[in-house]
């Protein structure tokens, strides 16, 4: 049976890749998606989820819950400089997306799935942790039922990507990150220490799509172009697959080595090692080749060649 997953996201170029990867992974069933302010304002992130739903039409169709518009205690700082004003590379020609519903809200969706699925549920958080912190406040008992939480965020033994010491998701909402780490949850954190090993070379995407990938593949090439360009400019050898790696580790934890650690959150979202009982595990050494193979196999189902006309 496919394991039920809820994805909390702020799409985002790499978030979009994680959703497409998840929708084509037989080990999991993406039951719900909740959106949060982060890379872009939450309204835009929600539009992006509906754009992707329209493009891919996944089955089952996930429940969508719109989440927090602001971090818990500070103003939102987005990453539109990287992801584009619209979060998906500012392509001019997305088809009109379905109108996002006002309800249910993200907290209700998380509570409902946690209470119904309990230990079976894996929550994959690939944006700031605001929605999860708000759910803890609303119903900590429900959150404590969740089997596993995999969250992309932090920079433990490596430099940050938003300040010299902080990673983006943690720096957007450090107060939320603090509450999540203090809640004694089965938390697997996927920090930059791991995601910087998950780099997709441009040639990798091209060769994966050589078999024919149709309009979905063309769109992936188009909306990732900006990410490839900016990651190259930042010194990487391709596109850094932060959120897809978190999703992959939700599917198969053996793709990385893990270390149980105690972390505390600094004032700007720094993830600092501390002494005492571990409060999460962090992903470390990644089996990059195996991860990239899995990701590219699943990102976009190949389009069967058209039968020759007689
Ligand atoms: C994280 O920040 C966002 O810009 C990405 O989507 C990812 O979740 C990487 O630091
Ligand atoms: Ca993200």
């Amino acid at each position: 049976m496919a394991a039920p997953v809820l994805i909390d996201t702020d799409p985002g170029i790499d978030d979009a890749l994680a959703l497409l990867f998840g929708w084509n992974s037989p080990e999991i069933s993406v039951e719900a998606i909740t959106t949060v302010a982060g890379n872009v304002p939450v309204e835009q992130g929600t539009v992006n989820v509906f754009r992707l739903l329209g493009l891919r039409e996944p089955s089952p169709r996930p429940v969508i819950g719109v989440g927090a518009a602001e971090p818990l205690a500070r103003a939102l700082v987005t990453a539109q400089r990287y992801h584009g004003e619209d979060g998906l590379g500012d392509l001019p020609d997305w088809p009109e997306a379905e109108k996002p519903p006002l309800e249910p809200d993200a907290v209700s969706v998380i509570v409902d799935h946690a209470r119904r699925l309990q230990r079976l549920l894996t929550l994959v958080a690939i944006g700031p942790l605001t929605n999860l912190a708000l759910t803890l406040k609303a119903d900590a008992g429900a959150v404590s039922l969740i089997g596993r939480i995999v969250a992309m965020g932090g920079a433990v033994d490596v430099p940050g990507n938003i300040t010299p010491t902080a990673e983006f998701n943690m720096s957007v909402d450090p107060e939320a990150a603090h509450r999540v780490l203090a809640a004694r949850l089965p938390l697997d954190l996927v920090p930059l220490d791991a995601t910087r090993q998950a780099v997709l070379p441009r040639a990798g995407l091209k060769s994966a799509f050589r078999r024919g990938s149709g309009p979905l593949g063309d769109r992936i090439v188009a909306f990732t172009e900006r990410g490839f360009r900016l990651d190259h400019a930042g010194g990487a050898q391709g596109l850094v697959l932060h959120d897809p790696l978190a999703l992959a580790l939700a599917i198969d934890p053996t793709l990385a080595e893990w270390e149980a650690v105690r972390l505390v959150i600094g004032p700007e979202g720094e993830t600092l090692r501390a002494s005492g009982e571990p409060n999460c595990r962090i992903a470390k050494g990644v089996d990059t080749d195996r991860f990239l193979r899995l990701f590219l196999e699943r990102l976009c189902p190949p389009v069967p060649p058209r039968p020759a006309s007689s």
Side-chain angles (χ1 to χ4, degrees):
M1 199 191 92
V5 165
L6 182 154
I7 301 180
D8 186 63
T9 175
D10 60 338
I13 293 171
D14 61 327
D15 300 74
L17 296 177
L19 291 174
L20 293 166
F21 175 29
W23 284 331
N24 206 23
S25 289
E27 303 86 348
I28 61 168
S29 162
V30 181
E31 299 289 320
I33 297 173
T34 50
T35 55
V36 65
N39 287 324
V40 286
V42 70
E43 298 78 16
Q44 182 61 48
T46 309
V47 167
N48 292 344
V49 169
F50 279 89
R51 283 173 165 177
L52 295 164
L53 285 171
L55 188 65
R56 177 64 174 79
E57 298 182 336
S59 171
R61 189 183 161 100
V63 174
I64 309 296
V66 181
E70 293 287 337
L72 294 186
R74 49 184 86 197
L76 173 66
V77 178
T78 67
Q80 283 160 300
R81 193 198 54 75
Y82 176 88
H83 295 271
E85 269 309 295
D86 79 342
L88 291 180
D90 289 335
L91 305 181
D93 55 351
W94 280 96
E96 184 79 21
E98 208 182 300
K99 275 254 162 312
L102 297 174
E103 288 191 344
D105 64 283
V107 170
S108 313
V109 170
I110 296 172
V111 167
D112 173 60
H113 282 75
R115 292 223 166 264
R116 216 155 27 79
L117 297 162
Q118 305 196 4
R119 298 268 165 265
L120 296 178
L121 180 66
T122 299
L123 188 150
V124 184
I126 52 177
L129 290 167
T130 321
N131 286 340
L132 189 53
L134 289 172
T135 313
L136 277 166
K137 190 162 178 230
D139 191 343
V143 179
S144 73
L145 299 173
I146 297 173
R148 183 172 173 228
I149 296 172
V150 180
M152 191 281 133
V156 180
D157 300 319
V158 299
N161 59 358
I162 202 78
T163 72
T165 46
E167 178 278 333
F168 178 77
N169 289 337
M170 294 296 180
S171 83
V172 169
D173 199 342
E175 287 73 22
H178 168 75
R179 283 195 201 175
V180 169
L181 275 161
R184 296 173 158 268
L185 299 169
L187 177 63
D188 282 344
L189 204 61
V190 184
L192 296 181
D193 309 54
T195 65
R196 286 200 177 116
Q197 300 168 50
V199 177
L200 172 65
R202 243 179 231 272
L205 192 62
K206 286 216 179 100
S207 72
F209 287 176
R210 206 167 289 139
R211 293 167 293 160
S213 49
L216 175 58
D218 295 345
R219 183 93 342 209
I220 293 170
V221 170
F223 79 69
T224 54
E225 175 51 33
R226 184 184 174 103
F228 273 109
R229 187 163 37 81
L230 293 176
D231 281 351
H232 263 293
Q237 298 301 309
L239 182 67
V240 187
L241 298 174
H242 303 286
D243 294 342
L245 180 66
L247 203 281
L249 294 175
I251 296 172
D252 182 357
T254 71
L255 287 166
E257 287 154 10
W258 298 88
E259 181 189 355
V261 295
R262 180 166 193 83
L263 295 180
V264 294
I265 303 294
E268 299 309 324
E270 303 89 336
T271 38
L272 308 166
R273 285 178 182 270
S275 55
E277 208 188 308
N279 55 4
C280 65
R281 296 194 308 170
I282 56 171
K284 297 187 78 180
V286 176
D287 188 338
T288 306
D289 290 347
R290 196 153 67 87
F291 160 67
L292 286 179
R293 264 201 311 278
L294 190 75
F295 173 73
L296 288 173
E297 252 168 46
R298 288 162 177 209
L299 179 60
C300 178
V303 175
R306 273 203 251 147
S309 52
S310 52

